[in-house]
């Protein structure tokens, strides 16, 4: 069998090595990623896209070996990966890694859960495979995603599929040659365009990446062939979808997972600088009725990501810098995903503030993750506030407390508060003997648990 070479081989070997002797703090970050994702997937299971995908999967028929969060064990592993991946991204409230420009957990975790459930694998094995997949996506994203994302690709779907394939290959115990084939198969399925931001298709990108990554690993295990140099081949991923592969060898500089960023506003991450900066000015006493004009200075890349000028739906509002400035100035609780409902978009006071807001695209050299907000008041005063969204929360304990509160707010309406607490406790023990099968039972509403018992995993 042809061995992988070049960039593909480097990524495979470095990411596999990263999953050995994982530091305790990095494992804790992985558990926090899992906790955050389960809350989002439970809440996202109520979104129209999730219902559509579940209905489609059930109509196709499948052996019930894998669970869809918020629904039960009625699906094949590939179906579960698709639906769960889309559900975890449906609220656009899931974690982010800026080096790879990917929402990583919702593409990497669903396939792992489906495989582990179907094959009764351990929570520790899932976490180790998650780390391997995360670091693979981080290495590829750091090397390729800047020009790739600038061309209009949605990296969650395109870079993320490699992370999903790497994670599933690790969980299945594939060797380096088989893993390289899984990468090759994943590269031929990498898809996602930023033109879809503000529509259900954006979340579908995440679901398809999770499904394709799982399928690629299974196909590679079963003997399908593909190029083993998909990243660096002259007509491969880097050559066709980026400015080209890096000139030298790719190097691992520490766990990219440690730099994972969690979201505490239920909108596109590119709007968070605006939400934080305007929110801070509101806390300093600026009120909507006093404002003459608002100017948002952002990196030019935001224009293709979150600059919908006049959103018409709640989904579009998540990708509108102007509308999020209005929400923040009016004190809306943007941690509540319900704020981004279609009904709120035409609200006259929000529309009036949105109309006072302009977006200035900064020239080259402006820090990519910094937003500067300037508010001029009717009496001639000027207020300026900056926020850098790239700075992680340094205290894991405090971050864990915030994520636990976020998880309960999202999960309790679906499964009840007591069951949500039990699910969080089970996730905290994921690498210490937690029963993954029972954990996934806790991710189904109580009314469905009896139905689950009628299924078998043979």
């Amino acid at each position: 069998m042809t061995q992988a070479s070049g960039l593909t081989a480097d990524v495979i070997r470095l990411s596999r090595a990263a999953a050995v002797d994982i530091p305790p703090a990095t494992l804790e970050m992985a558990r926090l990623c899992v906790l955050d994702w389960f809350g989002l997937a439970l809440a996202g299971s109520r979104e129209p896209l999730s219902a559509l995908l579940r209905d489609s999967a059930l109509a196709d028929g499948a052996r019930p070996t894998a669970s869809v969060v918020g629904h039960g064990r009625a699906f094949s592993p590939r179906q579960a990966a698709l639906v769960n991946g889309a559900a975890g991204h449906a609220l656009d409230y899931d974690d982010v890694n800026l080096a790879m420009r990917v929402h990583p957990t919702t593409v990497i975790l669903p396939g792992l859960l489906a495989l582990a459930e179907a094959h009764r694998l351990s929570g520790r094995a899932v976490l180790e495979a998650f780390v391997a997949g995360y670091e693979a996506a981080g290495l590829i994203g750091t090397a390729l995603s800047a020009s790739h994302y600038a061309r209009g690709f949605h990296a969650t779907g395109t870079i993320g599929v490699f992370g999903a394939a790497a994670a599933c290959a690790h969980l299945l115990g594939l060797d380096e040659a088989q893993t390289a084939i899984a990468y090759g198969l994943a590269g031929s399925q990498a898809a996602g365009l930023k033109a879809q931001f503000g529509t259900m298709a954006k979340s579908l990108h995440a679901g398809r990446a999770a499904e394709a990554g799982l399928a690629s690993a299974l196909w590679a295990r079963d003997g399908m062939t593909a190029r083993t140099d998909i990243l660096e081949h002259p007509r491969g991923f880097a050559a066709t979808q980026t400015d080209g592969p890096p000139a030298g060898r790719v190097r691992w500089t520490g766990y990219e997972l440690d730099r994972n960023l969690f979201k505490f506003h239920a909108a596109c991450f590119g709007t968070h600088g605006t939400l934080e900066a305007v929110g801070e000015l509101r806390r300093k006493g600026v009120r909507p009725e006093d404002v003459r004009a608002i100017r948002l200075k952002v990196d030019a890349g935001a224009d293709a990501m979150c600059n919908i000028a006049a959103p018409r739906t709640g989904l579009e509002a998540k990708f509108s810098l102007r509308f999020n400035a209005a929400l923040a100035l009016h004190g809306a609780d943007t941690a509540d995903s319900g704020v981004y409902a279609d009904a709120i978009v035409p609200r006259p006071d929000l529309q009036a503030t949105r109309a006072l807001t302009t977006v200035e695209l900064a020239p080259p050299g402006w820090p990519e993750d910094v937003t500067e907000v300037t508010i001029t008041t009717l009496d001639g005063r000027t207020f300026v506030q900056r926020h850098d969204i790239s700075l992680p929360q340094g205290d894991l304990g405090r971050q864990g407390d915030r994520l636990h509160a976020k998880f309960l707010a999202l999960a309790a309406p679906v499964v009840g508060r007591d069951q949500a607490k039990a699910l969080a406790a089970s996730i905290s023990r994921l690498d210490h003997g937690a029963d993954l099968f029972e954990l996934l039972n806790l991710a189904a509403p109580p009314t469905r648990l009896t139905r689950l018992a009628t299924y078998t995993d043979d």
Side-chain angles (χ1 to χ4, degrees), residues 309-311 323 326 330 344-356:
F323 195 81
H330 286 266
I344 200 173
V345 175
R347 211 172 84 182
D349 57 341
L350 295 173
Q351 287 295 332
T353 302
R354 180 195 63 78
L356 297 174

Side-chain angles (χ1 to χ4, degrees), residues 186-222:
S188 288
Q189 299 176 83
L193 299 171
K194 286 195 286 185
Q196 301 286 10
F197 285 13
T199 74
M200 291 182 187
K202 182 175 188 283
S203 297
L204 182 63
H205 296 163
R208 285 288 295 118
E211 179 194 16
L214 170 58
S216 296
L218 289 172
W219 288 332
R221 180 198 64 181
D222 293 341

Side-chain angles (χ1 to χ4, degrees), residues 407 415-424 441-447 449:
F407 167 82
V415 298
R417 191 168 184 84
D418 288 345
Q419 190 169 312
K421 287 182 176 180
L423 175 57
N441 272 355
L442 291 170
T447 54
L449 293 181

Side-chain angles (χ1 to χ4, degrees), residues 92-178:
D92 220 295
Y93 203 179
D94 48 319
D95 59 5
V96 175
N97 183 286
L98 295 177
M100 62 177 95
R101 293 169 173 81
V102 169
H103 294 271
T105 302
T106 202
V107 293
I108 297 170
L109 184 61
L112 296 177
L113 293 175
L115 283 177
E117 185 177 17
H119 297 284
R120 295 299 182 93
L121 303 176
S122 72
R124 176 73 188 201
V126 167
L127 286 180
E128 290 174 351
F130 179 81
V131 172
Y134 197 111
E135 297 308 307
L139 287 161
I140 296 169
T142 299
L144 303 177
S145 74
S147 63
H148 177 70
Y149 197 76
R151 290 179 181 217
F153 291 103
H154 182 202
T156 295
T158 53
I159 302 291
V161 70
F162 291 105
C168 290
H170 193 91
L171 188 63
L172 290 169
L174 303 192
D175 62 24
E176 288 186 14
Q178 291 172 309

Side-chain angles (χ1 to χ4, degrees), residues 357-374:
T357 305
T358 57
V359 175
E360 176 186 349
L361 301 178
W366 181 262
E368 183 178 3
D369 304 310
V370 171
T371 298
E372 181 181 272
V373 174
T374 303

